[in-house]
């Protein structure tokens, strides 16, 4: 994730930065010989003002005129460096051998903070994780879990499932998969059939983020009561709660405390 400073547009402190057009982003890298999907070249997730992005009170930080654009990390260009090229090449070869178009399965490759992230189309997630586990040149045999992220500004791609994989065979290499889906259709294939240990993680991600993992053997809540309505870790979930008793003291719900009124 990156943030770029941008000058204020127009006059007054309420002016917001212009969000660059996708077509204006140069040097689009290629994945498997095909350009990265154009709509993914620049994914803007926020345009904050001030130092902390607050808009409901006066800015006392001295950064009131700051204007920023926050985007997801852009697609990387070859060579990726380290062991990353070899892993991506091996995966592309495995997908081709299975009759899967790599350019359709791999949306983009991101290298950030010396970490490799592959954005995967949800309909091809199982096509990707099987060779990642089984190919002797890959052998990401351990899944460290899945978590969810909510980007309300990314229309049609608001929910992201982030899957962390590790290769014990190859000295602890770690790889991240990101799979996006819309709020209106929050479905991602379960990978429990490939990584059984992901069972609990998928349940928790559904419970708190609302991502439905199709094919999961028993997708039930883990943290919230079974009859709970909504998914509390989404960014649009309303502030509220229930009274909590802690060592004899009663803590009121967050929305009834004086500081929130």
């Amino acid at each position: 994730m990156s943030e770029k400073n941008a000058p204020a547009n127009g006059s007054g402190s309420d002016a917001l930065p212009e969000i660059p057009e996708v077509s204006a982003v140069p040097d689009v890298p290629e994945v498997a010989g095909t350009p990265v999907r154009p709509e993914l070249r620049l994914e803007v997730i926020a345009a904050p003002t001030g130092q902390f992005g607050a808009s409901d009170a006066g800015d006392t930080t001295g950064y009131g005129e700051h204007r920023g654009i926050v985007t997801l990390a852009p697609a990387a260009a070859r060579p990726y460096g380290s062991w990353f090229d070899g892993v991506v090449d091996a995966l592309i070869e495995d997908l081709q051998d299975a009759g899967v178009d790599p350019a359709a399965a791999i949306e983009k490759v991101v290298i950030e903070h010396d970490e490799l992230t592959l954005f995967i189309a949800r309909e091809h997630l199982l096509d990707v994780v099987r060779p990642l586990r089984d190919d002797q040149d890959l052998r990401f045999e351990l899944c460290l879990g899945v978590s969810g992220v909510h980007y309300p500004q990314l229309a049609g791609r608001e929910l992201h499932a982030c899957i962390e994989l590790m290769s014990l065979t190859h000295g602890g290499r770690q790889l991240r998969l990101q799979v996006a889906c819309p709020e209106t259709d929050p479905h991602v294939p379960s990978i429990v059939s490939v990584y059984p240990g992901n069972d609990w993680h998928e349940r928790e991600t559904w419970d708190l983020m609302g991502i439905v993992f199709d094919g999961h053997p028993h997708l039930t809540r883990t943290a919230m009561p079974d009859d709970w309505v909504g998914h509390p870790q989404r960014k649009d979930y309303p502030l509220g709660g229930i009274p909590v008793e802690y060592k004899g003291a009663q803590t009121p719900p967050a929305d009834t405390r004086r500081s929130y009124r």
Side-chain angles (χ1 to χ4, degrees), residues 44-192:
V44 178
I45 59 175
T49 61
Q51 185 170 14
F52 302 109
S55 59
D56 57 350
D59 190 320
T60 61
T61 65
Y63 289 88
E65 294 300 317
H66 173 79
R67 299 291 182 268
I69 295 175
V70 182
T71 69
L72 293 184
R78 297 273 196 169
Y80 302 136
S82 188
W83 47 267
F84 304 149
D85 289 273
V87 164
V88 174
D89 289 340
L91 177 59
I92 288 174
E93 183 177 349
D94 288 334
L95 291 172
Q96 291 172 333
D97 291 344
V100 177
D101 181 5
I106 305 173
E107 295 179 336
K108 68 176 178 178
V109 178
V110 169
I111 310 295
E112 191 174 41
H113 307 302
D114 293 325
E115 296 177 351
L116 173 61
T117 301
L118 304 181
F119 282 71
I120 305 299
R122 59 177 172 172
E123 61 270 22
H124 291 294
L125 178 58
L126 288 173
D127 296 326
V128 168
V129 295
R130 290 191 186 103
L132 284 174
R133 182 194 65 179
D134 297 339
D135 187 326
Q136 64 179 0
D137 295 326
L138 299 173
R139 293 296 289 160
F140 287 91
E141 60 268 87
L142 176 61
C143 181
L144 301 175
V146 59
S147 57
V149 187
H150 186 203
Y151 298 112
Q153 300 87 348
L154 286 182
R157 295 172 61 84
E158 295 92 349
L159 295 172
H160 286 218
C162 302
I163 301 167
E164 305 287 340
L165 303 178
M166 175 182 283
S167 172
L168 302 178
T169 299
H170 296 287
R173 293 175 175 175
Q174 292 194 40
L175 164 69
R176 180 181 302 108
L177 305 179
Q178 278 206 43
V179 185
C181 61
E183 290 177 328
T184 55
D185 182 26
H187 291 262
V188 169
S190 170
I191 62 171
V192 168

